[in-house]
């Protein structure tokens, strides 16, 4: 594939940035990949792994002459990075981000950037519960959606170049309004994470079931919750603090539905439970038909050796 950006600067070198670096390399999309992360340890790891062509002690050092700057830091850190790099951006460059929340990032980053750059907020709907530069891999974005939320008046040529980069990394690209993005993600990602955190917290607090029983007898449902609840605490703290309204709205609806199911259980309303579970099963089927998950039992996972017996 042809080089789309001569120089790409990745600010933050965790799961998403390192996956982008691997994917851009694999597809030959970037001439030079420069990187910066906050701590010396992460920068050192990135150097050892060869994720970037150059690793810089400052964000400013990384963005000099960059044609594309990608902010890959937690949502709460976007503003400080944007303020720092803004005076040093190359005129004509594109700045994007990969933050899980869009309205808050636009409000935090947008005012700092000069008119001479195109700011195109983005969010790859791809991830794992792992973080840091060692956790990235080239196929993370393959067949996943990458949502862009361009602001009115953004240069269409800059948007189509960024779309080509995302597609070149294997993603399906879509555009939507930032407020709609935040609502959709509150339903599909943010509230489910909060529920998983809560369920694992409840199991941990429940004195009548010991910790060892929770671990030993963990059934598929609970194990899936624990995987989600192992996600990075900084990233998820920032998601809830910045996508507050949409998360609270969906959480309100969730609580109402939970009360309805609670009542159905108490009153023995099997029809209600059966109809509800039939509807949710159809949603799962839809996700599989859309190619967004596997229908293999237990997500196709191989049981760990101690569970083979
Ligand atoms: P991560 O693996 O925890 O990496 C975060 C990186 O940001 C680290 O390299 C960290 O550096 C760096 N960083 C933090 N504050 C910084 C600052 N002030 N200046 C420079 N670097 C800073 O996180 P991630 O999972 O890649 O997530 C990055 C972004 O992608 C977040 O906004 C998140 O919402 C979004 N996102 C995540 C997922 C997911 O599933 N993980 C999916 C889609 C989008 P140090 O290591 O040196 O502290």
């Amino acid at each position: 594939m042809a080089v789309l950006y001569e120089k790409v600067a990745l600010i933050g070198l965790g799961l998403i940035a390192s996956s982008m670096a691997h994917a851009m390399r694999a597809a030959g999309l970037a001439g030079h990949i420069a990187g910066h992360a906050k701590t010396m340890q992460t920068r050192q790891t990135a150097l050892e792994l060869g994720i970037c062509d150059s690793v810089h002690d400052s964000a400013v050092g990384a963005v000099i002459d960059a044609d594309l700057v990608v902010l890959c830091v937690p949502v709460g850190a976007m503003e400080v990075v944007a303020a720092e790099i803004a005076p040093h951006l190359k005129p004509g460059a594109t700045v994007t981000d990969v933050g899980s929340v869009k309205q808050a990032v636009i409000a935090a980053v947008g005012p700092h950037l000069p008119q001479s750059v195109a700011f195109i907020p983005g969010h790859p709907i791809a991830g794992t519960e792992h973080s840091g530069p060692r956790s990235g891999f080239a196929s993370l974005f393959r067949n996943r959606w990458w949502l862009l939320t361009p602001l009115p008046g953004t240069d269409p040529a800059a948007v189509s170049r960024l779309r080509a980069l995302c597609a070149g990394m294997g993603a399906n690209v879509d555009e939507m309004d930032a407020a709609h993005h935040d609502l959709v993600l509150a339903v599909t990602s943010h509230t489910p994470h909060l529920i998983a955190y809560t369920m694992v917290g409840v199991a941990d607090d429940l004195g009548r079931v010991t910790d060892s029983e929770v671990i030993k007898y963990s059934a598929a449902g609970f194990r899936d919750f624990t995987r989600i609840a192992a996600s990075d605490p900084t990233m998820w703290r920032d998601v809830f603090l910045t996508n507050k309204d949409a998360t609270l709205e969906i959480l309100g609806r969730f609580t109402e539905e939970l009360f309805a199911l609670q009542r159905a259980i108490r009153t023995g309303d099997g029809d209600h439970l059966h109809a509800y579970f039939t509807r949710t099963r159809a949603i799962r089927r839809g996700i599989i038909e859309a190619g967004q998950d596997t229908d293999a039992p237990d997500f196709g996972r191989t049981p760990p050796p101690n569970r083979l017996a």
Side-chain angles (χ1 to χ4, degrees), residues 216-231:
K216 187 171 164 191
Y217 302 123
S218 73
F222 185 71
R223 270 188 290 126
D224 292 338
F225 276 138
T226 61
R227 185 189 65 73
I228 297 170
S231 300

Side-chain angles (χ1 to χ4, degrees), residues 88-100:
H88 308 278
L89 294 167
K90 177 177 167 180
T94 291
V95 176
T96 187
D97 76 290
V98 295
S100 306

Side-chain angles (χ1 to χ4, degrees), residues 116-146:
S116 57
V117 304
F119 175 40
I120 309 170
H123 178 201
I125 315 289
T128 74
E129 66 278 26
H130 300 296
S131 48
R134 291 185 193 280
S135 57
F137 52 98
S139 61
L140 178 68
F141 310 111
R142 198 171 298 155
N143 201 28
R144 297 282 162 221
W145 285 98
W146 199 306

Side-chain angles (χ1 to χ4, degrees), residues 158-193:
V159 176
S160 48
R161 193 156 17 149
L162 186 59
R163 287 186 70 118
L165 181 85
C166 302
M169 288 187 284
N172 306 313
V173 190
D174 225 343
E175 290 175 36
M176 65 171 71
D177 161 75
H180 189 65
H181 166 279
D182 290 355
L183 185 62
V184 170
L185 268 292
V187 177
T188 59
S189 169
H190 305 167
T191 310
H193 267 81

Side-chain angles (χ1 to χ4, degrees), residues 3-190:
V3 168
L4 287 166
Y5 297 95
E6 275 307 325
K7 181 176 175 185
V8 176
L10 300 172
I11 310 301
L13 292 171
L15 168 71
I16 301 295
S18 57
S19 296
M20 284 186 71
H22 290 303
M24 288 189 293
R25 279 257 173 82
L29 301 166
H32 178 102
I33 303 174
H36 163 73
K38 192 172 61 178
T39 63
M40 170 79 104
Q41 194 190 351
T42 298
R43 296 197 295 266
Q44 195 58 44
T45 306
L47 269 177
E48 279 165 25
L49 296 172
I51 292 170
C52 303
D53 299 301
S54 61
V55 176
H56 302 260
D57 291 345
S58 71
V60 170
V63 305
I64 298 291
D65 278 335
D67 305 288
L68 175 70
V69 175
V70 192
L71 307 180
C72 304
V73 299
V75 170
M78 297 273 178
E79 180 163 15
V80 69
V81 172
E84 191 186 336
I85 61 171
H88 308 278
L89 294 167
K90 177 177 167 180
T94 291
V95 176
T96 187
D97 76 290
V98 295
S100 306
V101 176
K102 294 280 52 88
Q103 289 176 107
V105 169
I106 291 169
V109 170
H112 292 284
L113 302 183
Q115 290 290 329
S116 57
V117 304
F119 175 40
I120 309 170
H123 178 201
I125 315 289
T128 74
E129 66 278 26
H130 300 296
S131 48
R134 291 185 193 280
S135 57
F137 52 98
S139 61
L140 178 68
F141 310 111
R142 198 171 298 155
N143 201 28
R144 297 282 162 221
W145 285 98
W146 199 306
L147 301 178
L148 299 178
T149 62
L151 302 159
T154 307
D155 175 14
V159 176
S160 48
R161 193 156 17 149
L162 186 59
R163 287 186 70 118
L165 181 85
C166 302
M169 288 187 284
N172 306 313
V173 190
D174 225 343
E175 290 175 36
M176 65 171 71
D177 161 75
H180 189 65
H181 166 279
D182 290 355
L183 185 62
V184 170
L185 268 292
V187 177
T188 59
S189 169
H190 305 167

